[in-house]
Amino acid sequence: MPSDRVVIFTDSPDNIQDIVQLLEFVGYDVSIESDVSTFLKNNNIQVVLVYYQLLKNAQEVVRYIKTTQSTKDIPVIVLIQEKNYVTLLELYQIGISDYIEFPIIDVELISKIALHIELKKNREKIESLYKELRESLDLASSLQTLMLPEPIEMCNGIWITSNYMPSQIVGGDIYDYFTVGEDVYLYTADISGHGVQSALLCSAVKSVIRSAAQRGLYISEVVNELQDSMKTVLGHNYVTGLFLKR
């Protein structure tokens, strides 16, 4: 597994050699840069340290990193010789994650770097999970839309109009109508839960009801068959609905 990469921007590399050696000793992949414009060429950077003799110069480097789309989410820790609260406040407003004051304390340096790397990785995991969730919900929404009948249709002399408006992106709601010979079947139902699982269960409910109706069963028999067919796949979910036959 590759080491976490730490990049240090500085105009005084000789002043931070002890820091570089310490970070390399604990296992980080450390590189020193002087030109922030080459920053975008570096991949898989977990944290950036910034040390300049003048804190104002460090401020410009931080501003560049935090206003560049591909690097704005990388945590930045500023190393300072002495506290200047006005400039530090400006740095926090630009987006630094933390600062460390000289003389550098080994434990403080290592712990702060480890903390912000872990926070960055956790944020990336959350963003990845959120993206997967959105994709899952979009897929479920598409499945539900494909299963819906026409919004306006005449069925054996009966006009049926409908409008599907889920309260969330996707839900476990389903409605359907169809004809078997001279009979018109219509139902609206709700399956507990949300997401792809509920959308797939809606598809199963639709298939069972249509299959049972094709055999000319009474509506009560259709509902009983639905119960018998779905109880093994519903798990902790349940179906409630209104079922009609004319």
Side-chain angles (χ1 to χ4, degrees), residues 47-212:
V47 70
V48 169
L49 301 181
V50 177
Y51 170 67
Y52 283 80
Q53 296 281 358
L54 294 176
L55 203 51
K56 287 290 185 181
N57 293 339
Q59 190 176 25
E60 293 306 312
V61 172
V62 174
R63 190 185 307 277
Y64 182 91
I65 295 171
K66 289 298 177 179
T67 56
T68 301
Q69 182 63 30
S70 59
T71 59
K72 63 183 181 62
D73 294 327
I74 299 176
V76 177
I77 300 174
V78 176
L79 309 178
I80 62 174
Q81 290 288 352
E82 60 181 22
K83 292 177 182 173
N84 181 321
Y85 288 105
V86 174
T87 306
L88 275 176
L89 177 60
E90 293 173 353
L91 285 166
Y92 273 113
Q93 291 173 336
I94 296 171
I96 66 167
S97 299
D98 216 329
Y99 75 92
I100 301 175
E101 187 177 4
F102 282 87
I104 300 297
I105 301 174
D106 294 356
V107 173
E108 180 185 16
L109 175 67
I110 295 171
S111 62
K112 285 191 174 183
I113 289 176
L115 170 64
H116 290 293
I117 288 177
E118 189 65 24
L119 290 174
K120 177 177 180 289
K121 290 180 177 179
N122 288 337
R123 184 179 66 251
E124 290 170 348
K125 289 179 183 178
I126 293 172
E127 290 173 351
S128 177
L129 289 173
Y130 178 74
K131 181 181 178 181
E132 291 178 6
L133 176 61
R134 293 293 304 187
E135 291 174 349
S136 174
L137 290 175
D138 289 341
L139 174 59
S141 179
S142 298
L143 289 174
Q144 281 195 317
T145 301
L146 290 172
M147 289 188 294
L148 297 177
E150 293 296 324
I152 303 177
E153 190 171 352
M154 164 116 23
C155 293
N156 291 353
I158 301 175
W159 279 105
I160 299 177
T161 63
S162 57
N163 184 30
Y164 183 69
M165 297 179 63
S167 60
Q168 300 183 31
I169 297 175
V170 65
D173 307 310
I174 182 175
Y175 69 90
D176 191 21
Y177 54 84
F178 56 92
T179 60
V180 178
E182 297 299 319
D183 296 324
V184 178
Y185 290 81
L186 185 148
Y187 67 91
T188 179
D190 177 46
I191 298 176
S192 61
H194 303 280
V196 174
Q197 180 188 22
S198 293
L200 293 175
L201 288 174
C202 286
S203 176
V205 167
K206 179 177 179 178
S207 298
V208 170
I209 291 178
R210 290 205 172 209
S211 175

Side-chain angles (χ1 to χ4, degrees), residues 21 28 145 163 171 245:
Q21 292 176 9
Y28 290 113
T145 301
N163 184 30
K245 175 183 178 182

Side-chain angles (χ1 to χ4, degrees), residues 28-45:
Y28 290 113
D29 177 12
V30 184
S31 62
I32 299 176
E33 302 286 348
S34 58
D35 185 3
V36 72
S37 64
T38 65
F39 184 74
L40 297 179
K41 299 178 182 179
N42 298 312
N43 298 319
N44 196 33
I45 298 171

